[in-house]
Amino acid sequence: MENVEATSTGHVLIFPQPAQGHIKPMLNLAELLCLSNIQVTFLVTTQIHHRLVNYTDTIARFARYTGFGFKVIPDGPPPKLSPNDDHKKLMNDMVQGLAVNAKPVIEELLLHDNNSDTTTRESSRVTCLIADGWYSFAYDVANEAGVPVMLFRCASACCLWAYFCAPRLIDAGQVPFKDEDLDELVQNVPGMDTFLRYRDLPSFCRTKGKLPCLGLKYTYAIEFERTKAAYGLILNTFEDLEGPVLSFLRSECPRVYSIGPIDALLKHRLLQQSATLSNPCSLWEVEDQSCLSWLDQKPPKSVVYVGFGSLAVFKRDQLEEIWEGLVQSNKYFLWVIRPDLITSKDGGFQAPEALLQGTKERGCVVSWAPQEAVLAHSAMGGFLTHSGWNSTLESITAGVPMICLPYFADQQINSRYVGEVWKVGLDMKDIYDRNVVVKMVNDLLDGKKDEIQKSMAQMSDAAKRSVTEGGSSYCNLDSLIQDIKMMSLKGEHSVQGPMDGEALLPN
């Protein structure tokens, strides 16, 4: 495809968190904006830029857009996760460390016209900041510069709503909670009172009485107010999947743009313009393509894909229980085992000979896999997942039912929705038992296959409809693009958007 050379209408600065689950959807958003001739500067850390340059085709992918460029800042301290860590504190530490390096760069980009050292295009003044949802410091700088702010939340709408309800849960004495209360229903999260259990709340609530409630309440109250005050909220979801929760969010936030599944939406827009399809962005050094050849030899819907994302880690005994269950299920399985999948304090893991032999007969193990291609393969019958939001959407788009073993953050509530609300999989939350793994694998591929597959087929069809012309996500993207262009022409206060609570949907 030739370079896209047209008059740019607006200049957006996009600032994601330096993690696979955030970089990927926000790069997809950047390309969608470039397709509409909106200039984009993408702010990344040194390490992320190195991975994008060396392990992906991102540079070639965006070279065709004359209005796109990267801005690179030094890294903040990386989070080091283990199963017993306070993940919320670790992520806060990472954001605060990154703020030291990022804030002066953002000030330069937003407060000065000559604001870029990129070589891909002439610079122009930034007219809109699209920031990752937790970057309060970027929000403050943008307000000082008079630049409209949109927030991109990379988690599900259901998780975001639970986050926003955290202050009322604390006021009601429901958080923190005791371990023996895990299966009791949670009140004070409107729309979820009939099915949301304590064990389904985000992982930061599970601190066995050590939760600094006042600090947490203040943090989430401030974040909620910032989200309501932002010009708009962008979500990687679609109306048929999370419509009820989106209604609650729209009652609080002026403009909610649901534009997911964003990878499917990008593919559709590229096909519309007869452009080359973009390859999925992976920040890992090696994707083992040989697993696709292994899948080619397997019957349709006969394989369970096992992948726990880029951050989840397990204790040695947890990993062994999962592995034993997969082998004893007598089903084919493809498992991504990262070198750092076991927590470092547990040391390495030497699999017993019986496991190795069972894996040799029915399994395939790789260090990283081309996940979207794997899920789209005809041999795929199920996905044992950590319930990260990108993985959940990719599985729904591909029509592959899930077994959910969430790790942290939004994953607990995602898994509850998969099993109880959308009924497109099974929730194995908090269980590391080989017998349960065997039962769930066999239920997914045999015993409950028909009922789960029926629900999944309906939701997968809805996902695909949402990104085609006239679909909800397709139309919401058009509204987002129009609003960004209006910002550049007349300024924030001239942009005409929906009234509070009004959905961005086609007539």
Short mmCIF file of all heavy atoms in Angstrom, two decimals, residues 214-273:
data_model
loop_
_atom_site.label_atom_id
_atom_site.label_comp_id
_atom_site.label_asym_id
_atom_site.label_seq_id
_atom_site.Cartn_x
_atom_site.Cartn_y
_atom_site.Cartn_z
N LEU A 214 -8.97 3.67 53.35
CA LEU A 214 -9.13 5.09 53.10
C LEU A 214 -8.34 5.52 51.88
O LEU A 214 -8.84 6.28 51.03
CB LEU A 214 -8.71 5.88 54.33
CG LEU A 214 -9.63 5.75 55.55
CD1 LEU A 214 -9.07 6.56 56.73
CD2 LEU A 214 -11.04 6.22 55.22
N GLY A 215 -7.10 5.03 51.75
CA GLY A 215 -6.28 5.37 50.59
C GLY A 215 -6.88 4.83 49.30
O GLY A 215 -6.92 5.50 48.28
N LEU A 216 -7.39 3.61 49.37
CA LEU A 216 -8.00 3.00 48.18
C LEU A 216 -9.27 3.73 47.79
O LEU A 216 -9.50 4.01 46.61
CB LEU A 216 -8.32 1.53 48.46
CG LEU A 216 -8.84 0.74 47.26
CD1 LEU A 216 -7.70 0.42 46.32
CD2 LEU A 216 -9.53 -0.53 47.70
N LYS A 217 -10.09 4.06 48.77
CA LYS A 217 -11.32 4.80 48.49
C LYS A 217 -11.00 6.13 47.82
O LYS A 217 -11.64 6.51 46.82
CB LYS A 217 -12.09 5.02 49.78
CG LYS A 217 -13.37 5.83 49.58
CD LYS A 217 -14.07 6.08 50.91
CE LYS A 217 -15.26 7.00 50.73
NZ LYS A 217 -15.92 7.30 52.02
N TYR A 218 -10.01 6.82 48.35
CA TYR A 218 -9.63 8.12 47.77
C TYR A 218 -9.14 7.95 46.34
O TYR A 218 -9.54 8.69 45.44
CB TYR A 218 -8.54 8.76 48.63
CG TYR A 218 -8.02 10.06 48.07
CD1 TYR A 218 -8.74 11.24 48.21
CD2 TYR A 218 -6.80 10.10 47.40
CE1 TYR A 218 -8.26 12.44 47.70
CE2 TYR A 218 -6.31 11.29 46.88
CZ TYR A 218 -7.05 12.45 47.04
OH TYR A 218 -6.57 13.63 46.52
N THR A 219 -8.30 6.92 46.10
CA THR A 219 -7.75 6.69 44.76
C THR A 219 -8.85 6.46 43.75
O THR A 219 -8.88 7.08 42.67
CB THR A 219 -6.80 5.48 44.78
OG1 THR A 219 -5.69 5.77 45.63
CG2 THR A 219 -6.29 5.15 43.38
N TYR A 220 -9.79 5.58 44.07
CA TYR A 220 -10.83 5.25 43.11
C TYR A 220 -11.86 6.37 42.96
O TYR A 220 -12.40 6.58 41.87
CB TYR A 220 -11.49 3.93 43.47
CG TYR A 220 -10.67 2.77 42.96
CD1 TYR A 220 -9.74 2.14 43.78
CD2 TYR A 220 -10.78 2.35 41.65
CE1 TYR A 220 -8.96 1.11 43.30
CE2 TYR A 220 -10.01 1.31 41.16
CZ TYR A 220 -9.10 0.70 41.99
OH TYR A 220 -8.31 -0.32 41.51
N ALA A 221 -12.10 7.09 44.04
CA ALA A 221 -13.01 8.24 43.93
C ALA A 221 -12.42 9.29 43.00
O ALA A 221 -13.12 9.85 42.14
CB ALA A 221 -13.27 8.83 45.31
N ILE A 222 -11.12 9.55 43.13
CA ILE A 222 -10.46 10.52 42.26
C ILE A 222 -10.47 10.05 40.82
O ILE A 222 -10.74 10.82 39.88
CB ILE A 222 -9.01 10.78 42.74
CG1 ILE A 222 -9.03 11.54 44.08
CG2 ILE A 222 -8.23 11.56 41.70
CD1 ILE A 222 -9.64 12.92 44.00
N GLU A 223 -10.15 8.76 40.60
CA GLU A 223 -10.11 8.23 39.24
C GLU A 223 -11.50 8.31 38.59
O GLU A 223 -11.62 8.61 37.40
CB GLU A 223 -9.61 6.78 39.24
CG GLU A 223 -8.15 6.63 39.60
CD GLU A 223 -7.21 7.27 38.59
OE1 GLU A 223 -7.65 7.56 37.46
OE2 GLU A 223 -6.05 7.49 38.95
N PHE A 224 -12.52 8.02 39.35
CA PHE A 224 -13.88 8.08 38.82
C PHE A 224 -14.23 9.52 38.43
O PHE A 224 -14.81 9.77 37.36
CB PHE A 224 -14.86 7.54 39.86
CG PHE A 224 -16.23 7.23 39.30
CD1 PHE A 224 -16.47 7.18 37.93
CD2 PHE A 224 -17.29 6.98 40.14
CE1 PHE A 224 -17.72 6.89 37.41
CE2 PHE A 224 -18.56 6.68 39.65
CZ PHE A 224 -18.77 6.65 38.28
N GLU A 225 -13.87 10.46 39.28
CA GLU A 225 -14.16 11.86 38.97
C GLU A 225 -13.40 12.32 37.73
O GLU A 225 -13.93 13.07 36.91
CB GLU A 225 -13.82 12.75 40.17
CG GLU A 225 -14.77 12.57 41.35
CD GLU A 225 -16.23 12.76 40.96
OE1 GLU A 225 -16.54 13.77 40.30
OE2 GLU A 225 -17.05 11.89 41.31
N ARG A 226 -12.16 11.88 37.58
CA ARG A 226 -11.39 12.24 36.40
C ARG A 226 -12.03 11.65 35.14
O ARG A 226 -12.08 12.30 34.09
CB ARG A 226 -9.95 11.74 36.52
CG ARG A 226 -9.11 12.50 37.53
CD ARG A 226 -7.66 12.09 37.43
NE ARG A 226 -6.86 12.66 38.50
CZ ARG A 226 -6.42 13.91 38.53
NH1 ARG A 226 -6.72 14.72 37.53
NH2 ARG A 226 -5.69 14.35 39.52
N THR A 227 -12.49 10.43 35.24
CA THR A 227 -13.13 9.79 34.09
C THR A 227 -14.40 10.54 33.71
O THR A 227 -14.66 10.78 32.52
CB THR A 227 -13.45 8.32 34.40
OG1 THR A 227 -12.24 7.63 34.72
CG2 THR A 227 -14.11 7.64 33.22
N LYS A 228 -15.18 10.94 34.70
CA LYS A 228 -16.41 11.69 34.40
C LYS A 228 -16.09 13.06 33.81
O LYS A 228 -16.85 13.59 33.00
CB LYS A 228 -17.25 11.85 35.68
CG LYS A 228 -17.86 10.54 36.17
CD LYS A 228 -18.97 10.79 37.17
CE LYS A 228 -18.46 11.38 38.45
NZ LYS A 228 -19.56 11.53 39.45
N ALA A 229 -14.96 13.65 34.23
CA ALA A 229 -14.61 14.98 33.76
C ALA A 229 -13.93 14.97 32.39
O ALA A 229 -13.88 15.99 31.71
CB ALA A 229 -13.70 15.67 34.77
N ALA A 230 -13.39 13.82 31.98
CA ALA A 230 -12.73 13.72 30.67
C ALA A 230 -13.74 13.95 29.56
O ALA A 230 -14.95 13.73 29.73
CB ALA A 230 -12.07 12.36 30.51
N TYR A 231 -13.25 14.36 28.39
CA TYR A 231 -14.16 14.59 27.27
C TYR A 231 -14.87 13.30 26.88
O TYR A 231 -16.06 13.30 26.55
CB TYR A 231 -13.41 15.15 26.06
CG TYR A 231 -14.36 15.39 24.92
CD1 TYR A 231 -15.11 16.55 24.84
CD2 TYR A 231 -14.55 14.41 23.94
CE1 TYR A 231 -16.02 16.75 23.83
CE2 TYR A 231 -15.47 14.60 22.91
CZ TYR A 231 -16.20 15.77 22.86
OH TYR A 231 -17.12 15.95 21.87
N GLY A 232 -14.16 12.18 26.92
CA GLY A 232 -14.77 10.92 26.52
C GLY A 232 -14.03 9.74 27.09
O GLY A 232 -12.89 9.83 27.54
N LEU A 233 -14.68 8.60 27.08
CA LEU A 233 -14.13 7.34 27.55
C LEU A 233 -14.21 6.33 26.42
O LEU A 233 -15.29 6.05 25.89
CB LEU A 233 -14.94 6.85 28.76
CG LEU A 233 -14.62 5.45 29.31
CD1 LEU A 233 -13.19 5.38 29.82
CD2 LEU A 233 -15.62 5.08 30.42
N ILE A 234 -13.06 5.78 26.02
CA ILE A 234 -12.97 4.81 24.93
C ILE A 234 -12.81 3.42 25.53
O ILE A 234 -11.95 3.21 26.39
CB ILE A 234 -11.79 5.14 24.00
CG1 ILE A 234 -11.89 6.57 23.49
CG2 ILE A 234 -11.73 4.14 22.84
CD1 ILE A 234 -10.63 7.05 22.77
N LEU A 235 -13.63 2.48 25.08
CA LEU A 235 -13.59 1.12 25.61
C LEU A 235 -13.49 0.11 24.48
O LEU A 235 -14.16 0.23 23.46
CB LEU A 235 -14.83 0.83 26.44
CG LEU A 235 -15.01 1.65 27.72
CD1 LEU A 235 -16.35 1.33 28.37
CD2 LEU A 235 -13.88 1.39 28.70
N ASN A 236 -12.69 -0.91 24.71
CA ASN A 236 -12.54 -2.01 23.76
C ASN A 236 -13.58 -3.08 24.09
O ASN A 236 -13.29 -4.12 24.67
CB ASN A 236 -11.13 -2.59 23.84
CG ASN A 236 -10.88 -3.67 22.81
OD1 ASN A 236 -11.62 -3.80 21.83
ND2 ASN A 236 -9.83 -4.46 23.02
N THR A 237 -14.83 -2.79 23.73
CA THR A 237 -15.93 -3.72 23.97
C THR A 237 -17.02 -3.41 22.96
O THR A 237 -16.88 -2.51 22.14
CB THR A 237 -16.45 -3.61 25.41
OG1 THR A 237 -17.36 -4.69 25.67
CG2 THR A 237 -17.15 -2.29 25.67
N PHE A 238 -18.14 -4.16 23.02
CA PHE A 238 -19.23 -3.88 22.08
C PHE A 238 -20.57 -4.02 22.79
O PHE A 238 -20.69 -4.65 23.84
CB PHE A 238 -19.15 -4.76 20.83
CG PHE A 238 -19.19 -6.25 21.07
CD1 PHE A 238 -20.35 -6.98 20.86
CD2 PHE A 238 -18.04 -6.94 21.45
CE1 PHE A 238 -20.38 -8.36 21.05
CE2 PHE A 238 -18.06 -8.32 21.64
CZ PHE A 238 -19.23 -9.03 21.45
N GLU A 239 -21.58 -3.38 22.21
CA GLU A 239 -22.85 -3.19 22.87
C GLU A 239 -23.55 -4.50 23.21
O GLU A 239 -24.11 -4.67 24.30
CB GLU A 239 -23.77 -2.33 22.00
CG GLU A 239 -23.23 -0.95 21.69
CD GLU A 239 -23.09 -0.07 22.92
OE1 GLU A 239 -23.90 -0.21 23.85
OE2 GLU A 239 -22.17 0.77 22.93
N ASP A 240 -23.54 -5.46 22.30
CA ASP A 240 -24.24 -6.73 22.55
C ASP A 240 -23.58 -7.53 23.66
O ASP A 240 -24.22 -8.40 24.27
CB ASP A 240 -24.28 -7.58 21.27
CG ASP A 240 -25.33 -7.09 20.28
OD1 ASP A 240 -26.25 -6.36 20.72
OD2 ASP A 240 -25.23 -7.39 19.09
N LEU A 241 -22.32 -7.27 23.94
CA LEU A 241 -21.61 -8.00 25.00
C LEU A 241 -21.84 -7.37 26.36
O LEU A 241 -22.15 -8.06 27.33
CB LEU A 241 -20.12 -8.05 24.68
CG LEU A 241 -19.24 -8.87 25.63
CD1 LEU A 241 -19.58 -10.35 25.51
CD2 LEU A 241 -17.75 -8.65 25.34
N GLU A 242 -21.69 -6.05 26.44
CA GLU A 242 -21.71 -5.38 27.75
C GLU A 242 -22.71 -4.23 27.80
O GLU A 242 -22.52 -3.27 28.56
CB GLU A 242 -20.32 -4.87 28.11
CG GLU A 242 -19.29 -5.98 28.30
CD GLU A 242 -18.04 -5.48 28.98
OE1 GLU A 242 -17.14 -4.98 28.27
OE2 GLU A 242 -17.96 -5.57 30.22
N GLY A 243 -23.78 -4.31 27.03
CA GLY A 243 -24.76 -3.23 26.98
C GLY A 243 -25.29 -2.78 28.32
O GLY A 243 -25.31 -1.58 28.61
N PRO A 244 -25.73 -3.69 29.22
CA PRO A 244 -26.26 -3.25 30.51
C PRO A 244 -25.25 -2.46 31.34
O PRO A 244 -25.60 -1.44 31.95
CB PRO A 244 -26.65 -4.57 31.20
CG PRO A 244 -26.93 -5.51 30.06
CD PRO A 244 -25.92 -5.14 29.01
N VAL A 245 -23.99 -2.92 31.37
CA VAL A 245 -22.98 -2.21 32.14
C VAL A 245 -22.64 -0.88 31.48
O VAL A 245 -22.43 0.14 32.16
CB VAL A 245 -21.72 -3.07 32.30
CG1 VAL A 245 -20.64 -2.31 33.08
CG2 VAL A 245 -22.04 -4.37 33.02
N LEU A 246 -22.60 -0.86 30.16
CA LEU A 246 -22.34 0.39 29.45
C LEU A 246 -23.40 1.43 29.77
O LEU A 246 -23.11 2.63 29.84
CB LEU A 246 -22.27 0.13 27.94
CG LEU A 246 -21.02 -0.60 27.46
CD1 LEU A 246 -21.20 -1.06 26.01
CD2 LEU A 246 -19.79 0.30 27.58
N SER A 247 -24.63 1.00 29.99
CA SER A 247 -25.69 1.93 30.36
C SER A 247 -25.40 2.59 31.71
O SER A 247 -25.63 3.79 31.89
CB SER A 247 -27.04 1.21 30.42
OG SER A 247 -27.43 0.75 29.14
N PHE A 248 -24.89 1.80 32.66
CA PHE A 248 -24.52 2.38 33.95
C PHE A 248 -23.37 3.38 33.79
O PHE A 248 -23.39 4.46 34.39
CB PHE A 248 -24.12 1.27 34.93
CG PHE A 248 -25.29 0.54 35.54
CD1 PHE A 248 -25.58 -0.76 35.14
CD2 PHE A 248 -26.09 1.15 36.48
CE1 PHE A 248 -26.66 -1.44 35.69
CE2 PHE A 248 -27.18 0.48 37.03
CZ PHE A 248 -27.46 -0.82 36.64
N LEU A 249 -22.39 3.04 33.00
CA LEU A 249 -21.26 3.96 32.77
C LEU A 249 -21.73 5.24 32.10
O LEU A 249 -21.28 6.34 32.44
CB LEU A 249 -20.18 3.28 31.93
CG LEU A 249 -19.36 2.20 32.63
CD1 LEU A 249 -18.46 1.48 31.63
CD2 LEU A 249 -18.51 2.80 33.75
N ARG A 250 -22.64 5.11 31.15
CA ARG A 250 -23.13 6.29 30.43
C ARG A 250 -23.98 7.20 31.33
O ARG A 250 -24.13 8.38 31.05
CB ARG A 250 -23.92 5.86 29.20
CG ARG A 250 -23.03 5.31 28.10
CD ARG A 250 -23.78 5.07 26.80
NE ARG A 250 -22.84 4.71 25.75
CZ ARG A 250 -22.74 3.52 25.19
NH1 ARG A 250 -23.55 2.55 25.57
NH2 ARG A 250 -21.86 3.29 24.24
N SER A 251 -24.50 6.65 32.41
CA SER A 251 -25.24 7.49 33.35
C SER A 251 -24.30 8.40 34.14
O SER A 251 -24.75 9.37 34.77
CB SER A 251 -26.05 6.62 34.32
OG SER A 251 -25.20 5.93 35.23
N GLU A 252 -23.00 8.08 34.13
CA GLU A 252 -22.01 8.86 34.88
C GLU A 252 -21.04 9.61 33.97
O GLU A 252 -20.53 10.66 34.35
CB GLU A 252 -21.21 7.92 35.80
CG GLU A 252 -22.04 7.16 36.83
CD GLU A 252 -22.43 8.03 38.01
OE1 GLU A 252 -21.99 9.19 38.06
OE2 GLU A 252 -23.18 7.54 38.87
N CYS A 253 -20.76 9.06 32.80
CA CYS A 253 -19.75 9.63 31.90
C CYS A 253 -20.43 10.23 30.67
O CYS A 253 -21.34 9.61 30.10
CB CYS A 253 -18.76 8.56 31.47
SG CYS A 253 -17.95 7.72 32.86
N PRO A 254 -20.01 11.41 30.23
CA PRO A 254 -20.72 12.09 29.14
C PRO A 254 -20.68 11.38 27.81
O PRO A 254 -21.66 11.36 27.08
CB PRO A 254 -20.02 13.45 29.07
CG PRO A 254 -18.69 13.24 29.70
CD PRO A 254 -18.88 12.20 30.75
N ARG A 255 -19.54 10.81 27.46
CA ARG A 255 -19.41 10.16 26.15
C ARG A 255 -18.64 8.85 26.33
O ARG A 255 -17.50 8.86 26.75
CB ARG A 255 -18.67 11.05 25.15
CG ARG A 255 -19.38 12.37 24.86
CD ARG A 255 -18.49 13.30 24.03
NE ARG A 255 -19.13 14.59 23.85
CZ ARG A 255 -19.07 15.59 24.72
NH1 ARG A 255 -18.39 15.45 25.85
NH2 ARG A 255 -19.68 16.74 24.48
N VAL A 256 -19.26 7.75 26.01
CA VAL A 256 -18.61 6.44 26.08
C VAL A 256 -18.60 5.87 24.67
O VAL A 256 -19.65 5.61 24.09
CB VAL A 256 -19.33 5.49 27.05
CG1 VAL A 256 -18.66 4.12 27.04
CG2 VAL A 256 -19.34 6.08 28.46
N TYR A 257 -17.40 5.67 24.13
CA TYR A 257 -17.24 5.13 22.78
C TYR A 257 -16.85 3.66 22.91
O TYR A 257 -15.70 3.33 23.21
CB TYR A 257 -16.14 5.87 22.02
CG TYR A 257 -16.29 7.37 21.96
CD1 TYR A 257 -15.79 8.17 22.98
CD2 TYR A 257 -16.88 8.00 20.86
CE1 TYR A 257 -15.88 9.56 22.93
CE2 TYR A 257 -16.98 9.38 20.79
CZ TYR A 257 -16.48 10.15 21.83
OH TYR A 257 -16.58 11.53 21.76
N SER A 258 -17.77 2.75 22.69
CA SER A 258 -17.45 1.32 22.69
C SER A 258 -17.10 0.92 21.26
O SER A 258 -17.96 0.94 20.38
CB SER A 258 -18.64 0.50 23.21
OG SER A 258 -19.80 0.73 22.44
N ILE A 259 -15.85 0.58 21.02
CA ILE A 259 -15.36 0.36 19.65
C ILE A 259 -14.68 -1.00 19.49
O ILE A 259 -13.81 -1.17 18.65
CB ILE A 259 -14.41 1.49 19.21
CG1 ILE A 259 -13.18 1.57 20.13
CG2 ILE A 259 -15.13 2.83 19.19
CD1 ILE A 259 -12.09 2.49 19.61
N GLY A 260 -15.09 -1.98 20.29
CA GLY A 260 -14.45 -3.28 20.20
C GLY A 260 -15.32 -4.31 19.47
O GLY A 260 -16.49 -4.04 19.17
N PRO A 261 -14.74 -5.49 19.21
CA PRO A 261 -13.33 -5.83 19.41
C PRO A 261 -12.45 -5.01 18.46
O PRO A 261 -12.63 -5.08 17.23
CB PRO A 261 -13.24 -7.32 19.08
CG PRO A 261 -14.67 -7.81 19.14
CD PRO A 261 -15.51 -6.64 18.71
N ILE A 262 -11.50 -4.26 19.01
CA ILE A 262 -10.79 -3.26 18.22
C ILE A 262 -9.90 -3.88 17.16
O ILE A 262 -9.71 -3.31 16.09
CB ILE A 262 -9.99 -2.32 19.15
CG1 ILE A 262 -9.60 -1.04 18.39
CG2 ILE A 262 -8.81 -3.03 19.78
CD1 ILE A 262 -9.06 0.05 19.28
N ASP A 263 -9.37 -5.08 17.41
CA ASP A 263 -8.56 -5.73 16.38
C ASP A 263 -9.42 -6.14 15.18
O ASP A 263 -9.02 -5.98 14.03
CB ASP A 263 -7.79 -6.92 16.94
CG ASP A 263 -8.66 -7.91 17.69
OD1 ASP A 263 -9.83 -7.59 17.95
OD2 ASP A 263 -8.17 -9.00 18.01
N ALA A 264 -10.63 -6.63 15.46
CA ALA A 264 -11.55 -6.99 14.36
C ALA A 264 -12.03 -5.75 13.62
O ALA A 264 -12.18 -5.78 12.38
CB ALA A 264 -12.74 -7.77 14.92
N LEU A 265 -12.25 -4.66 14.33
CA LEU A 265 -12.67 -3.41 13.70
C LEU A 265 -11.57 -2.89 12.78
O LEU A 265 -11.85 -2.44 11.65
CB LEU A 265 -13.01 -2.38 14.77
CG LEU A 265 -13.48 -1.00 14.28
CD1 LEU A 265 -14.72 -1.12 13.41
CD2 LEU A 265 -13.75 -0.09 15.48
N LEU A 266 -10.32 -2.97 13.21
CA LEU A 266 -9.21 -2.52 12.37
C LEU A 266 -9.12 -3.37 11.10
O LEU A 266 -8.94 -2.84 10.00
CB LEU A 266 -7.90 -2.58 13.15
CG LEU A 266 -6.63 -2.26 12.36
CD1 LEU A 266 -6.68 -0.86 11.76
CD2 LEU A 266 -5.39 -2.43 13.25
N LYS A 267 -9.24 -4.66 11.25
CA LYS A 267 -9.18 -5.54 10.07
C LYS A 267 -10.26 -5.18 9.07
O LYS A 267 -10.01 -5.13 7.86
CB LYS A 267 -9.31 -7.01 10.50
CG LYS A 267 -8.11 -7.55 11.25
CD LYS A 267 -8.38 -8.98 11.74
CE LYS A 267 -7.21 -9.49 12.56
NZ LYS A 267 -7.48 -10.84 13.12
N HIS A 268 -11.46 -4.92 9.57
CA HIS A 268 -12.57 -4.58 8.66
C HIS A 268 -12.29 -3.26 7.95
O HIS A 268 -12.52 -3.14 6.73
CB HIS A 268 -13.88 -4.51 9.43
CG HIS A 268 -15.07 -4.24 8.56
ND1 HIS A 268 -15.65 -5.22 7.78
CD2 HIS A 268 -15.76 -3.10 8.29
CE1 HIS A 268 -16.66 -4.70 7.10
NE2 HIS A 268 -16.75 -3.41 7.40
N ARG A 269 -11.81 -2.25 8.67
CA ARG A 269 -11.54 -0.95 8.05
C ARG A 269 -10.41 -1.05 7.02
O ARG A 269 -10.45 -0.40 5.98
CB ARG A 269 -11.20 0.06 9.13
CG ARG A 269 -12.38 0.45 10.03
CD ARG A 269 -13.32 1.43 9.32
NE ARG A 269 -14.49 1.76 10.11
CZ ARG A 269 -14.87 3.00 10.43
NH1 ARG A 269 -14.17 4.03 10.01
NH2 ARG A 269 -15.96 3.20 11.14
N LEU A 270 -9.40 -1.85 7.31
CA LEU A 270 -8.32 -2.04 6.35
C LEU A 270 -8.83 -2.71 5.08
O LEU A 270 -8.45 -2.32 3.96
CB LEU A 270 -7.19 -2.86 6.98
CG LEU A 270 -6.34 -2.13 8.03
CD1 LEU A 270 -5.47 -3.13 8.79
CD2 LEU A 270 -5.47 -1.06 7.39
N LEU A 271 -9.67 -3.72 5.24
CA LEU A 271 -10.24 -4.39 4.07
C LEU A 271 -11.10 -3.43 3.25
O LEU A 271 -11.10 -3.47 2.02
CB LEU A 271 -11.07 -5.60 4.51
CG LEU A 271 -10.28 -6.82 4.99
CD1 LEU A 271 -11.22 -7.85 5.61
CD2 LEU A 271 -9.49 -7.44 3.84
N GLN A 272 -11.83 -2.55 3.92
CA GLN A 272 -12.65 -1.57 3.22
C GLN A 272 -11.81 -0.66 2.32
O GLN A 272 -12.25 -0.23 1.26
CB GLN A 272 -13.43 -0.71 4.22
CG GLN A 272 -14.70 -1.33 4.74
CD GLN A 272 -15.52 -0.32 5.51
OE1 GLN A 272 -15.00 0.43 6.33
NE2 GLN A 272 -16.82 -0.31 5.26
N GLN A 273 -10.60 -0.36 2.78
CA GLN A 273 -9.72 0.53 2.03
C GLN A 273 -8.71 -0.24 1.17
O GLN A 273 -7.75 0.34 0.66
CB GLN A 273 -8.99 1.48 2.98
CG GLN A 273 -9.95 2.36 3.77
CD GLN A 273 -9.24 3.50 4.49
OE1 GLN A 273 -8.11 3.86 4.15
NE2 GLN A 273 -9.89 4.07 5.49
#
